[in-house]
Amino acid sequence: QTGGLDIHKDYGPPPSDDPKVSERYIRLEFAGTTGGDLKWKFFPEQRRLLLAPGETALAFYKAINLTDRPVIGMSVYHVIPPEAGIYFNKIQCFCFEEQLLNPQEEVDMPVF
């Protein structure tokens, strides 16, 4: 950090002509938490996926509004370690926009 601002490192593209790439797998682990006063249960419906580089996958999170009123939530995602971020491309994700859950509503939310 510099002066309270995050500095992001630029990373090179993932290797594309390495013949061993097809022999490697990436273990993707999912987590889910809520912050502040959001009265939701929020968790991944799968804990991990094992993927080959370039492979696409569909995963789901479940969100449950525990209140008796409509509540809007917004997801924020991150990749750890940050260097791994260049290997991920979310095509469709509930994290792209706010989610409105009605009282006691339970929804499955996709990440593709």
Side-chain angles (χ1 to χ4, degrees):
Q1 284 196 339
T2 305
L5 300 173
D6 287 329
I7 302 298
H8 296 282
K9 180 178 176 184
D10 289 327
Y11 298 101
S16 59
D17 16 347
D18 183 350
K20 293 186 179 185
V21 166
S22 62
E23 298 172 10
R24 293 187 232 160
Y25 288 92
I26 298 169
R27 186 177 70 199
L28 184 61
E29 295 188 2
F30 297 89
T33 60
T34 57
D37 294 331
L38 185 63
K39 302 292 187 220
W40 284 12
K41 280 188 182 177
F42 178 74
F43 55 91
E45 294 195 42
Q46 63 291 302
R47 289 291 175 195
R48 65 186 54 89
L49 291 174
L50 189 62
L51 303 169
E55 182 179 2
T56 59
L58 178 63
F60 288 90
Y61 276 77
K62 183 172 292 289
I64 305 169
N65 179 357
L66 302 174
T67 73
D68 59 357
R69 58 185 172 76
V71 177
I72 294 174
M74 181 75 180
S75 180
V76 177
Y77 72 91
H78 62 274
V79 176
I80 299 173
E83 295 87 349
I86 62 172
Y87 295 93
F88 296 98
N89 180 22
K90 287 185 298 313
I91 298 166
Q92 180 183 11
C93 182
F94 62 88
C95 57
F96 293 157
E97 51 192 49
E98 292 180 340
Q99 302 296 318
L100 170 66
L101 270 64
N102 289 312
Q104 306 300 316
E105 184 177 12
E106 180 175 320
V107 296
D108 293 326
M109 299 187 295
V111 179
F112 180 70

PDB file of all heavy atoms in Angstrom, residues 30-59:
ATOM      1  N   PHE A  30     -14.059 -22.263  -2.829  1.00  0.00           N
ATOM      2  CA  PHE A  30     -15.066 -21.226  -2.665  1.00  0.00           C
ATOM      3  C   PHE A  30     -15.298 -20.933  -1.190  1.00  0.00           C
ATOM      4  O   PHE A  30     -15.261 -21.834  -0.359  1.00  0.00           O
ATOM      5  CB  PHE A  30     -16.396 -21.674  -3.280  1.00  0.00           C
ATOM      6  CG  PHE A  30     -16.320 -21.897  -4.757  1.00  0.00           C
ATOM      7  CD1 PHE A  30     -15.976 -23.131  -5.272  1.00  0.00           C
ATOM      8  CD2 PHE A  30     -16.593 -20.865  -5.634  1.00  0.00           C
ATOM      9  CE1 PHE A  30     -15.905 -23.344  -6.641  1.00  0.00           C
ATOM     10  CE2 PHE A  30     -16.528 -21.063  -7.000  1.00  0.00           C
ATOM     11  CZ  PHE A  30     -16.183 -22.305  -7.504  1.00  0.00           C
ATOM     12  N   ALA A  31     -15.565 -19.672  -0.890  1.00  0.00           N
ATOM     13  CA  ALA A  31     -15.916 -19.255   0.469  1.00  0.00           C
ATOM     14  C   ALA A  31     -17.031 -18.228   0.352  1.00  0.00           C
ATOM     15  O   ALA A  31     -17.233 -17.631  -0.705  1.00  0.00           O
ATOM     16  CB  ALA A  31     -14.703 -18.650   1.171  1.00  0.00           C
ATOM     17  N   GLY A  32     -17.740 -18.025   1.417  1.00  0.00           N
ATOM     18  CA  GLY A  32     -18.800 -17.018   1.420  1.00  0.00           C
ATOM     19  C   GLY A  32     -19.012 -16.487   2.818  1.00  0.00           C
ATOM     20  O   GLY A  32     -19.109 -17.262   3.768  1.00  0.00           O
ATOM     21  N   THR A  33     -19.044 -15.196   2.932  1.00  0.00           N
ATOM     22  CA  THR A  33     -19.307 -14.548   4.220  1.00  0.00           C
ATOM     23  C   THR A  33     -20.226 -13.355   3.978  1.00  0.00           C
ATOM     24  O   THR A  33     -20.351 -12.884   2.850  1.00  0.00           O
ATOM     25  CB  THR A  33     -18.013 -14.047   4.897  1.00  0.00           C
ATOM     26  OG1 THR A  33     -17.387 -13.101   4.027  1.00  0.00           O
ATOM     27  CG2 THR A  33     -17.055 -15.177   5.187  1.00  0.00           C
ATOM     28  N   THR A  34     -20.841 -12.891   5.026  1.00  0.00           N
ATOM     29  CA  THR A  34     -21.620 -11.658   4.941  1.00  0.00           C
ATOM     30  C   THR A  34     -21.009 -10.657   5.905  1.00  0.00           C
ATOM     31  O   THR A  34     -20.433 -11.028   6.918  1.00  0.00           O
ATOM     32  CB  THR A  34     -23.101 -11.868   5.295  1.00  0.00           C
ATOM     33  OG1 THR A  34     -23.197 -12.419   6.603  1.00  0.00           O
ATOM     34  CG2 THR A  34     -23.778 -12.788   4.296  1.00  0.00           C
ATOM     35  N   GLY A  35     -21.157  -9.401   5.583  1.00  0.00           N
ATOM     36  CA  GLY A  35     -20.582  -8.367   6.431  1.00  0.00           C
ATOM     37  C   GLY A  35     -21.649  -7.437   6.968  1.00  0.00           C
ATOM     38  O   GLY A  35     -22.779  -7.402   6.473  1.00  0.00           O
ATOM     39  N   GLY A  36     -21.259  -6.704   7.982  1.00  0.00           N
ATOM     40  CA  GLY A  36     -22.149  -5.697   8.535  1.00  0.00           C
ATOM     41  C   GLY A  36     -23.426  -6.284   9.088  1.00  0.00           C
ATOM     42  O   GLY A  36     -23.432  -7.334   9.719  1.00  0.00           O
ATOM     43  N   ASP A  37     -24.512  -5.612   8.795  1.00  0.00           N
ATOM     44  CA  ASP A  37     -25.806  -6.004   9.337  1.00  0.00           C
ATOM     45  C   ASP A  37     -26.640  -6.828   8.365  1.00  0.00           C
ATOM     46  O   ASP A  37     -27.846  -6.968   8.548  1.00  0.00           O
ATOM     47  CB  ASP A  37     -26.602  -4.747   9.733  1.00  0.00           C
ATOM     48  CG  ASP A  37     -25.942  -3.998  10.884  1.00  0.00           C
ATOM     49  OD1 ASP A  37     -25.269  -4.655  11.693  1.00  0.00           O
ATOM     50  OD2 ASP A  37     -26.104  -2.774  10.946  1.00  0.00           O
ATOM     51  N   LEU A  38     -26.038  -7.367   7.324  1.00  0.00           N
ATOM     52  CA  LEU A  38     -26.783  -8.148   6.351  1.00  0.00           C
ATOM     53  C   LEU A  38     -27.235  -9.451   6.989  1.00  0.00           C
ATOM     54  O   LEU A  38     -26.420 -10.294   7.349  1.00  0.00           O
ATOM     55  CB  LEU A  38     -25.929  -8.422   5.115  1.00  0.00           C
ATOM     56  CG  LEU A  38     -26.623  -9.122   3.955  1.00  0.00           C
ATOM     57  CD1 LEU A  38     -27.758  -8.258   3.409  1.00  0.00           C
ATOM     58  CD2 LEU A  38     -25.633  -9.446   2.856  1.00  0.00           C
ATOM     59  N   LYS A  39     -28.515  -9.622   7.108  1.00  0.00           N
ATOM     60  CA  LYS A  39     -29.087 -10.809   7.750  1.00  0.00           C
ATOM     61  C   LYS A  39     -29.422 -11.864   6.693  1.00  0.00           C
ATOM     62  O   LYS A  39     -30.571 -12.196   6.452  1.00  0.00           O
ATOM     63  CB  LYS A  39     -30.348 -10.438   8.540  1.00  0.00           C
ATOM     64  CG  LYS A  39     -30.130  -9.402   9.600  1.00  0.00           C
ATOM     65  CD  LYS A  39     -29.263  -9.952  10.712  1.00  0.00           C
ATOM     66  CE  LYS A  39     -29.218  -8.934  11.847  1.00  0.00           C
ATOM     67  NZ  LYS A  39     -27.944  -8.806  12.452  1.00  0.00           N
ATOM     68  N   TRP A  40     -28.379 -12.346   6.046  1.00  0.00           N
ATOM     69  CA  TRP A  40     -28.498 -13.404   5.059  1.00  0.00           C
ATOM     70  C   TRP A  40     -27.617 -14.575   5.472  1.00  0.00           C
ATOM     71  O   TRP A  40     -26.569 -14.385   6.096  1.00  0.00           O
ATOM     72  CB  TRP A  40     -27.977 -12.948   3.709  1.00  0.00           C
ATOM     73  CG  TRP A  40     -28.834 -12.032   2.909  1.00  0.00           C
ATOM     74  CD1 TRP A  40     -29.949 -11.358   3.326  1.00  0.00           C
ATOM     75  CD2 TRP A  40     -28.626 -11.673   1.550  1.00  0.00           C
ATOM     76  NE1 TRP A  40     -30.434 -10.601   2.304  1.00  0.00           N
ATOM     77  CE2 TRP A  40     -29.643 -10.773   1.194  1.00  0.00           C
ATOM     78  CE3 TRP A  40     -27.681 -12.010   0.599  1.00  0.00           C
ATOM     79  CZ2 TRP A  40     -29.749 -10.221  -0.075  1.00  0.00           C
ATOM     80  CZ3 TRP A  40     -27.779 -11.466  -0.655  1.00  0.00           C
ATOM     81  CH2 TRP A  40     -28.813 -10.586  -0.996  1.00  0.00           C
ATOM     82  N   LYS A  41     -28.023 -15.770   5.093  1.00  0.00           N
ATOM     83  CA  LYS A  41     -27.096 -16.895   5.037  1.00  0.00           C
ATOM     84  C   LYS A  41     -26.565 -16.863   3.621  1.00  0.00           C
ATOM     85  O   LYS A  41     -27.330 -16.687   2.659  1.00  0.00           O
ATOM     86  CB  LYS A  41     -27.806 -18.224   5.291  1.00  0.00           C
ATOM     87  CG  LYS A  41     -28.064 -18.527   6.731  1.00  0.00           C
ATOM     88  CD  LYS A  41     -28.589 -19.948   6.859  1.00  0.00           C
ATOM     89  CE  LYS A  41     -28.893 -20.263   8.301  1.00  0.00           C
ATOM     90  NZ  LYS A  41     -29.469 -21.619   8.448  1.00  0.00           N
ATOM     91  N   PHE A  42     -25.268 -17.016   3.459  1.00  0.00           N
ATOM     92  CA  PHE A  42     -24.640 -16.952   2.141  1.00  0.00           C
ATOM     93  C   PHE A  42     -23.481 -17.936   2.127  1.00  0.00           C
ATOM     94  O   PHE A  42     -22.550 -17.810   2.925  1.00  0.00           O
ATOM     95  CB  PHE A  42     -24.154 -15.521   1.873  1.00  0.00           C
ATOM     96  CG  PHE A  42     -23.447 -15.358   0.564  1.00  0.00           C
ATOM     97  CD1 PHE A  42     -24.155 -15.357  -0.624  1.00  0.00           C
ATOM     98  CD2 PHE A  42     -22.072 -15.211   0.526  1.00  0.00           C
ATOM     99  CE1 PHE A  42     -23.506 -15.208  -1.841  1.00  0.00           C
ATOM    100  CE2 PHE A  42     -21.407 -15.061  -0.680  1.00  0.00           C
ATOM    101  CZ  PHE A  42     -22.128 -15.060  -1.866  1.00  0.00           C
ATOM    102  N   PHE A  43     -23.548 -18.919   1.239  1.00  0.00           N
ATOM    103  CA  PHE A  43     -22.501 -19.939   1.222  1.00  0.00           C
ATOM    104  C   PHE A  43     -22.416 -20.599  -0.154  1.00  0.00           C
ATOM    105  O   PHE A  43     -23.401 -20.641  -0.894  1.00  0.00           O
ATOM    106  CB  PHE A  43     -22.762 -20.989   2.302  1.00  0.00           C
ATOM    107  CG  PHE A  43     -24.124 -21.627   2.225  1.00  0.00           C
ATOM    108  CD1 PHE A  43     -24.319 -22.778   1.487  1.00  0.00           C
ATOM    109  CD2 PHE A  43     -25.215 -21.068   2.882  1.00  0.00           C
ATOM    110  CE1 PHE A  43     -25.568 -23.358   1.412  1.00  0.00           C
ATOM    111  CE2 PHE A  43     -26.469 -21.642   2.813  1.00  0.00           C
ATOM    112  CZ  PHE A  43     -26.646 -22.797   2.073  1.00  0.00           C
ATOM    113  N   PRO A  44     -21.237 -21.116  -0.492  1.00  0.00           N
ATOM    114  CA  PRO A  44     -21.087 -21.839  -1.760  1.00  0.00           C
ATOM    115  C   PRO A  44     -21.768 -23.208  -1.663  1.00  0.00           C
ATOM    116  O   PRO A  44     -21.727 -23.850  -0.616  1.00  0.00           O
ATOM    117  CB  PRO A  44     -19.579 -21.989  -1.915  1.00  0.00           C
ATOM    118  CG  PRO A  44     -19.043 -21.909  -0.530  1.00  0.00           C
ATOM    119  CD  PRO A  44     -19.985 -21.029   0.244  1.00  0.00           C
ATOM    120  N   GLU A  45     -22.379 -23.627  -2.757  1.00  0.00           N
ATOM    121  CA  GLU A  45     -23.020 -24.939  -2.766  1.00  0.00           C
ATOM    122  C   GLU A  45     -22.026 -26.049  -3.073  1.00  0.00           C
ATOM    123  O   GLU A  45     -22.348 -27.224  -2.938  1.00  0.00           O
ATOM    124  CB  GLU A  45     -24.179 -24.944  -3.754  1.00  0.00           C
ATOM    125  CG  GLU A  45     -25.273 -23.993  -3.287  1.00  0.00           C
ATOM    126  CD  GLU A  45     -26.571 -24.211  -4.001  1.00  0.00           C
ATOM    127  OE1 GLU A  45     -26.969 -25.369  -4.206  1.00  0.00           O
ATOM    128  OE2 GLU A  45     -27.191 -23.208  -4.373  1.00  0.00           O
ATOM    129  N   GLN A  46     -20.813 -25.695  -3.473  1.00  0.00           N
ATOM    130  CA  GLN A  46     -19.717 -26.636  -3.612  1.00  0.00           C
ATOM    131  C   GLN A  46     -18.506 -25.969  -2.968  1.00  0.00           C
ATOM    132  O   GLN A  46     -18.360 -24.773  -3.030  1.00  0.00           O
ATOM    133  CB  GLN A  46     -19.437 -26.995  -5.067  1.00  0.00           C
ATOM    134  CG  GLN A  46     -18.991 -25.826  -5.944  1.00  0.00           C
ATOM    135  CD  GLN A  46     -20.104 -24.814  -6.189  1.00  0.00           C
ATOM    136  OE1 GLN A  46     -21.137 -25.173  -6.709  1.00  0.00           O
ATOM    137  NE2 GLN A  46     -19.912 -23.570  -5.800  1.00  0.00           N
ATOM    138  N   ARG A  47     -17.691 -26.738  -2.317  1.00  0.00           N
ATOM    139  CA  ARG A  47     -16.527 -26.167  -1.628  1.00  0.00           C
ATOM    140  C   ARG A  47     -15.331 -26.005  -2.552  1.00  0.00           C
ATOM    141  O   ARG A  47     -14.514 -25.122  -2.360  1.00  0.00           O
ATOM    142  CB  ARG A  47     -16.132 -27.027  -0.425  1.00  0.00           C
ATOM    143  CG  ARG A  47     -17.098 -26.937   0.705  1.00  0.00           C
ATOM    144  CD  ARG A  47     -17.019 -25.563   1.299  1.00  0.00           C
ATOM    145  NE  ARG A  47     -18.039 -25.404   2.325  1.00  0.00           N
ATOM    146  CZ  ARG A  47     -18.392 -24.250   2.808  1.00  0.00           C
ATOM    147  NH1 ARG A  47     -17.848 -23.149   2.372  1.00  0.00           N
ATOM    148  NH2 ARG A  47     -19.319 -24.168   3.727  1.00  0.00           N
ATOM    149  N   ARG A  48     -15.215 -26.886  -3.557  1.00  0.00           N
ATOM    150  CA  ARG A  48     -14.064 -26.785  -4.453  1.00  0.00           C
ATOM    151  C   ARG A  48     -14.372 -27.431  -5.798  1.00  0.00           C
ATOM    152  O   ARG A  48     -15.237 -28.285  -5.905  1.00  0.00           O
ATOM    153  CB  ARG A  48     -12.817 -27.395  -3.832  1.00  0.00           C
ATOM    154  CG  ARG A  48     -12.846 -28.868  -3.578  1.00  0.00           C
ATOM    155  CD  ARG A  48     -11.622 -29.376  -2.835  1.00  0.00           C
ATOM    156  NE  ARG A  48     -11.363 -28.687  -1.609  1.00  0.00           N
ATOM    157  CZ  ARG A  48     -11.860 -29.013  -0.419  1.00  0.00           C
ATOM    158  NH1 ARG A  48     -12.668 -30.028  -0.315  1.00  0.00           N
ATOM    159  NH2 ARG A  48     -11.555 -28.334   0.650  1.00  0.00           N
ATOM    160  N   LEU A  49     -13.622 -26.973  -6.802  1.00  0.00           N
ATOM    161  CA  LEU A  49     -13.654 -27.557  -8.141  1.00  0.00           C
ATOM    162  C   LEU A  49     -12.212 -27.789  -8.572  1.00  0.00           C
ATOM    163  O   LEU A  49     -11.323 -27.017  -8.213  1.00  0.00           O
ATOM    164  CB  LEU A  49     -14.313 -26.612  -9.149  1.00  0.00           C
ATOM    165  CG  LEU A  49     -15.803 -26.357  -9.020  1.00  0.00           C
ATOM    166  CD1 LEU A  49     -16.232 -25.290 -10.026  1.00  0.00           C
ATOM    167  CD2 LEU A  49     -16.588 -27.626  -9.241  1.00  0.00           C
ATOM    168  N   LEU A  50     -11.987 -28.817  -9.346  1.00  0.00           N
ATOM    169  CA  LEU A  50     -10.676 -29.095  -9.916  1.00  0.00           C
ATOM    170  C   LEU A  50     -10.822 -28.916 -11.421  1.00  0.00           C
ATOM    171  O   LEU A  50     -11.595 -29.635 -12.072  1.00  0.00           O
ATOM    172  CB  LEU A  50     -10.231 -30.516  -9.576  1.00  0.00           C
ATOM    173  CG  LEU A  50      -8.805 -30.891  -9.920  1.00  0.00           C
ATOM    174  CD1 LEU A  50      -7.822 -30.011  -9.140  1.00  0.00           C
ATOM    175  CD2 LEU A  50      -8.558 -32.355  -9.598  1.00  0.00           C
ATOM    176  N   LEU A  51     -10.095 -27.938 -11.983  1.00  0.00           N
ATOM    177  CA  LEU A  51     -10.254 -27.574 -13.390  1.00  0.00           C
ATOM    178  C   LEU A  51      -8.916 -27.557 -14.108  1.00  0.00           C
ATOM    179  O   LEU A  51      -7.900 -27.201 -13.520  1.00  0.00           O
ATOM    180  CB  LEU A  51     -10.874 -26.182 -13.513  1.00  0.00           C
ATOM    181  CG  LEU A  51     -12.217 -25.964 -12.832  1.00  0.00           C
ATOM    182  CD1 LEU A  51     -12.568 -24.489 -12.816  1.00  0.00           C
ATOM    183  CD2 LEU A  51     -13.283 -26.760 -13.536  1.00  0.00           C
ATOM    184  N   ALA A  52      -8.953 -27.891 -15.390  1.00  0.00           N
ATOM    185  CA  ALA A  52      -7.782 -27.742 -16.238  1.00  0.00           C
ATOM    186  C   ALA A  52      -7.750 -26.299 -16.740  1.00  0.00           C
ATOM    187  O   ALA A  52      -8.799 -25.673 -16.896  1.00  0.00           O
ATOM    188  CB  ALA A  52      -7.857 -28.705 -17.412  1.00  0.00           C
ATOM    189  N   PRO A  53      -6.572 -25.741 -16.999  1.00  0.00           N
ATOM    190  CA  PRO A  53      -6.512 -24.380 -17.558  1.00  0.00           C
ATOM    191  C   PRO A  53      -7.342 -24.280 -18.832  1.00  0.00           C
ATOM    192  O   PRO A  53      -7.287 -25.156 -19.693  1.00  0.00           O
ATOM    193  CB  PRO A  53      -5.023 -24.184 -17.842  1.00  0.00           C
ATOM    194  CG  PRO A  53      -4.338 -25.081 -16.852  1.00  0.00           C
ATOM    195  CD  PRO A  53      -5.239 -26.288 -16.755  1.00  0.00           C
ATOM    196  N   GLY A  54      -8.162 -23.240 -18.928  1.00  0.00           N
ATOM    197  CA  GLY A  54      -9.022 -23.022 -20.080  1.00  0.00           C
ATOM    198  C   GLY A  54     -10.386 -23.675 -19.976  1.00  0.00           C
ATOM    199  O   GLY A  54     -11.279 -23.390 -20.766  1.00  0.00           O
ATOM    200  N   GLU A  55     -10.568 -24.553 -19.006  1.00  0.00           N
ATOM    201  CA  GLU A  55     -11.849 -25.234 -18.833  1.00  0.00           C
ATOM    202  C   GLU A  55     -12.863 -24.286 -18.205  1.00  0.00           C
ATOM    203  O   GLU A  55     -12.523 -23.490 -17.336  1.00  0.00           O
ATOM    204  CB  GLU A  55     -11.653 -26.454 -17.928  1.00  0.00           C
ATOM    205  CG  GLU A  55     -12.883 -27.278 -17.692  1.00  0.00           C
ATOM    206  CD  GLU A  55     -12.624 -28.497 -16.812  1.00  0.00           C
ATOM    207  OE1 GLU A  55     -11.475 -28.684 -16.356  1.00  0.00           O
ATOM    208  OE2 GLU A  55     -13.570 -29.243 -16.574  1.00  0.00           O
ATOM    209  N   THR A  56     -14.111 -24.354 -18.647  1.00  0.00           N
ATOM    210  CA  THR A  56     -15.169 -23.549 -18.032  1.00  0.00           C
ATOM    211  C   THR A  56     -15.956 -24.417 -17.064  1.00  0.00           C
ATOM    212  O   THR A  56     -16.019 -25.640 -17.207  1.00  0.00           O
ATOM    213  CB  THR A  56     -16.126 -22.953 -19.077  1.00  0.00           C
ATOM    214  OG1 THR A  56     -16.713 -24.011 -19.806  1.00  0.00           O
ATOM    215  CG2 THR A  56     -15.395 -22.014 -20.022  1.00  0.00           C
ATOM    216  N   ALA A  57     -16.555 -23.759 -16.073  1.00  0.00           N
ATOM    217  CA  ALA A  57     -17.327 -24.488 -15.073  1.00  0.00           C
ATOM    218  C   ALA A  57     -18.444 -23.587 -14.560  1.00  0.00           C
ATOM    219  O   ALA A  57     -18.364 -22.361 -14.650  1.00  0.00           O
ATOM    220  CB  ALA A  57     -16.429 -24.912 -13.916  1.00  0.00           C
ATOM    221  N   LEU A  58     -19.462 -24.214 -14.036  1.00  0.00           N
ATOM    222  CA  LEU A  58     -20.588 -23.518 -13.437  1.00  0.00           C
ATOM    223  C   LEU A  58     -20.617 -23.867 -11.965  1.00  0.00           C
ATOM    224  O   LEU A  58     -20.555 -25.039 -11.599  1.00  0.00           O
ATOM    225  CB  LEU A  58     -21.890 -23.948 -14.120  1.00  0.00           C
ATOM    226  CG  LEU A  58     -23.184 -23.351 -13.593  1.00  0.00           C
ATOM    227  CD1 LEU A  58     -23.198 -21.837 -13.787  1.00  0.00           C
ATOM    228  CD2 LEU A  58     -24.376 -23.988 -14.299  1.00  0.00           C
ATOM    229  N   ALA A  59     -20.696 -22.855 -11.116  1.00  0.00           N
ATOM    230  CA  ALA A  59     -20.770 -23.049  -9.675  1.00  0.00           C
ATOM    231  C   ALA A  59     -21.936 -22.221  -9.144  1.00  0.00           C
ATOM    232  O   ALA A  59     -22.391 -21.283  -9.803  1.00  0.00           O
ATOM    233  CB  ALA A  59     -19.463 -22.625  -9.011  1.00  0.00           C
TER     234      ALA A  59
END
